[in-house]
Amino acid sequence: QSVLTQPPSVSAAPGQKVTISCSGSSSNIGNNYVSWYQQLPGTAPKLLIYESNKRPSEIPDRFSGSKSGTSATLGITGLQTGDEADYYCGTWDTSLSAYFFGAGTKVTVL
Amino acid sequence: EVQLVESGGGLVQPGGSLRLSCAVSGFSLSMYWISWVRQAPGKGLEWVANIKQDGSEKYYVDSVKGRFTISRDNAKNSLYLEMNSLRAEDTAVYFCARDRGAGSHEYWGQGTLVTVSS
């Protein structure tokens, strides 16, 4: 059982919006920044969101992150077929002195 | 251009050892924390270990403590992962990643496959 809980899958039609939740505890999300990663099939992960809500310069503003308490959310608007991928949240756990990823969420564009 | 290139993967028998390397270019290794992250076939990401800029702090996931050792040679622009007492469950693609700070992995290598099997 992962320290961080994500839904296994989400789906929506092209142009629509999806949100992916990431639930943790006070020792991880509650007191540390959350990052989000996109992994396309057969490729290395790519950083989408850092410090819970910031985007690297090359990431389009269709991707957004937020955090509240012990949960975080990734939002993707204007869904495109190229967004079909696995998405992972990640954060440091202060009590365990280790970094954890969620189990991943597969995004399907219908 | 920031690049991280892993090497050293391969097939090893259970109980064996392997040393992975990560050669970096396009930035000064001495300025960044670096992590190793692995992904078993068809599974999700698992953080393995990280190391501070000067090597003075190292952290490991519980499942590899006492078996894996992370190290770095900033002068050679290289990061290492020494893996001993390997088990079938260590079979994975191993990525090295440059940490941005505040717990995010900003740049990733392409990964190297480690297969533990008899």
Side-chain angles (χ1 to χ4, degrees):
Chain A
Q1 195 123 9
S2 180
V3 163
L4 304 177
T5 302
Q6 295 182 235
S9 63
V10 296
S11 61
Q16 297 301 303
K17 175 181 180 178
V18 295
T19 59
I20 300 171
S21 60
C22 177
S23 177
S25 68
S26 58
S27 63
N28 44 67
I29 293 178
N31 282 285
N32 293 288
Y33 288 119
V34 176
S35 300
W36 289 92
Y37 305 86
Q38 177 194 61
Q39 188 177 32
L40 298 169
T43 69
K46 179 181 185 180
L47 179 65
L48 288 179
I49 299 290
Y50 66 97
E51 292 181 8
S52 303
N53 59 11
K54 295 183 172 65
R55 283 178 289 105
S57 57
E58 69 274 17
I59 302 301
D61 59 7
R62 299 188 300 107
F63 296 90
S64 64
S66 64
K67 190 185 94 164
S68 178
T70 59
S71 292
T73 301
L74 174 71
I76 311 173
T77 59
L79 205 59
Q80 303 174 1
T81 55
D83 297 332
E84 286 202 331
D86 294 319
Y87 293 81
Y88 297 89
C89 60
T91 190
W92 187 258
D93 189 294
T94 307
S95 296
L96 299 174
S97 294
Y99 191 92
F100 290 90
F101 292 97
T105 299
K106 184 174 183 60
V107 169
T108 301
V109 181
L110 301 172
Chain B
E1 181 190 6
V2 172
Q3 284 195 316
L4 300 95
V5 179
E6 303 90 341
S7 60
L11 175 63
V12 61
Q13 292 190 336
S17 298
L18 211 55
R19 189 196 200 205
L20 305 183
S21 299
C22 172
V24 311
S25 60
F27 67 97
S28 177
L29 181 61
S30 62
M31 293 181 65
Y32 296 91
W33 284 77
I34 303 287
S35 291
W36 284 99
V37 176
R38 66 184 179 183
Q39 187 168 37
K43 302 297 185 182
L45 302 174
E46 181 182 38
W47 176 86
V48 174
N50 67 357
I51 183 168
K52 194 177 179 179
Q53 290 92 330
D54 61 359
S56 61
E57 291 184 41
K58 305 174 185 181
Y59 298 93
Y60 300 89
V61 68
D62 279 352
S63 60
V64 308
K65 282 180 182 175
R67 300 188 301 122
F68 289 13
T69 302
I70 189 172
S71 63
R72 64 196 293 160
D73 186 335
N74 290 337
K76 294 184 177 179
N77 291 316
S78 293
L79 176 79
Y80 307 101
L81 186 67
E82 188 77 38
M83 304 185 296
N84 298 315
S85 303
L86 282 161
R87 307 166 180 167
E89 53 265 35
D90 295 318
T91 294
V93 173
Y94 285 73
F95 299 97
C96 58
R98 192 186 90 174
D99 292 357
R100 183 188 179 100
S104 63
H105 311 300
E106 185 176 22
Y107 290 98
W108 298 66
Q110 84 290 344
T112 186
L113 177 62
V114 172
T115 304
V116 184
S117 175
S118 55

